Amino acid sequence: MGSHPHDLPMPVTTAGREGLEALLRAPRRCVVALDFDGTLADIVPDPDQARAHPGAVAALAALAPEVGSVAVITGRPAGVAVRYGGFAGVPGLEHLVVLGHYGAERWDAVTGSVHAPAEHPGVAAVRAELPGFLDAIGAWRGTWIEEKGRALAVHTRRAADPEAAFAALREPLAGLAARHGLMVEPGRAVLELRPPGTDKGVALTEYLAEVGAEAVLYAGDDLGDLAAYSAVEKLRAGGMPGLLLCSGSAEVPELAARADLTLPGPSQVVAYLAALAAALAAAPS
């Protein structure tokens, strides 16, 4: 094992330490992949008000030239994540990729354009049915619908008892989704109805293969990130070093339990990325 910078917290697992060492040893062959909400941006009651942490863009712009690639993988539409993140036209982020809708959409900084397939017909059907559906089951009070373009999300964070509202909605929404060929992705006080076949694990694995990565760092905070965790664990079993970061631990203990390093939230994730960038910039080439 080589040395590592003292201001970088050490992963608590052997696999995580090996992942960090691989990144520090050959950063240009490593992909840094990050969730957006809860990882680069604080969770807020209204997702339309979410913005990247004030230091996130600067940290990513410092880190990106030092590593093989930086990818943001999010359930949001790719264009929305770019706008809320402030990622467009930033020196240093010329080759940033944003994989939106769990990889169904892709924005490349080098072209500034989004590539996306046609909308799943079930999304339009559920969009029309959902308000009346929530009303009919008595779940309208305190819940609200977020329009995500290729998906719809029902939030319970504003309900009198968010956890009880979430639990009560899970089965009915699963039934509604199944009738229209969709699936339900649970998250932190949110249930998202979206097309099957795409998840963060598939998106991450395909992107790593595309760029020929030899190591990976992935950071996330929610249940939707478990698929990416599983993908990294599978890649590690096949010999590719990887480091799993968890942003926050209280709301999603399943993620924290599998992480190599847990950081308290987006501000600490951003600080970690900035420290990593500084360590790589200072290392002899």
Side-chain angles (χ1 to χ4, degrees):
M1 300 283 281
S3 62
H4 89 289
H6 293 297
D7 52 355
L8 275 178
M10 180 63 87
V12 298
T13 64
T14 300
R17 289 191 290 273
E18 290 172 352
L20 177 59
E21 291 293 338
L23 193 165
L24 293 170
R25 188 170 57 247
R28 298 295 166 91
R29 287 179 241 161
C30 179
V31 166
V32 174
L34 308 147
D35 167 51
F36 185 71
D37 291 281
T39 302
L40 291 176
D42 287 311
I43 295 289
V44 292
D46 179 357
D48 287 341
Q49 300 303 313
R51 297 294 182 270
H53 184 274
V57 169
L60 292 177
L63 180 61
E66 304 293 337
V67 298
S69 179
V70 173
V72 173
I73 307 179
T74 174
R76 286 186 182 271
V80 172
V82 171
R83 193 162 68 249
Y84 291 0
F87 299 138
V90 177
L93 291 183
E94 290 87 358
H95 297 285
L96 176 75
V97 169
V98 176
L99 303 175
H101 281 306
Y102 304 91
E105 289 187 350
R106 174 169 172 159
W107 176 87
D108 287 272
V110 71
T111 62
S113 60
V114 174
H115 296 276
E119 181 182 85
H120 188 290
V123 175
V126 167
R127 182 179 292 119
E129 193 175 333
L130 194 52
F133 180 85
L134 291 174
D135 201 30
I137 63 173
W140 192 251
R141 187 181 301 278
T143 64
W144 61 283
I145 300 167
E146 180 190 3
E147 172 58 61
K148 301 185 76 170
R150 296 170 182 277
L152 295 146
V154 179
H155 290 262
T156 66
R157 195 172 288 274
R158 297 177 190 164
D161 186 338
E163 290 183 17
F166 178 92
L169 277 171
R170 198 161 180 169
E171 197 169 314
L173 286 180
L176 174 65
R179 286 203 305 278
H180 295 289
L182 304 180
M183 59 172 283
V184 172
E185 179 85 56
R188 292 162 71 173
V190 61
L191 292 155
E192 184 173 320
L193 293 81
R194 66 179 181 85
T198 56
D199 65 35
K200 291 184 179 182
V202 172
L204 178 61
T205 302
E206 290 180 350
Y207 184 70
L208 292 173
E210 175 192 327
V211 300
E214 295 179 14
V216 58
L217 180 158
Y218 184 82
D221 77 306
D222 209 343
L223 294 171
D225 296 302
L226 287 171
Y229 268 42
S230 294
V232 172
E233 289 163 353
K234 184 176 180 181
L235 289 165
R236 291 200 296 206
M240 180 189 287
L243 172 59
L244 292 169
L245 302 184
C246 175
S247 174
S249 59
E251 288 193 45
V252 191
E254 303 96 318
L255 210 64
R258 288 166 63 178
D260 302 310
L261 178 63
T262 297
L263 301 166
S267 61
Q268 290 81 6
V269 171
V270 167
Y272 185 91
L273 297 174
L276 184 58
L280 293 173
S285 55

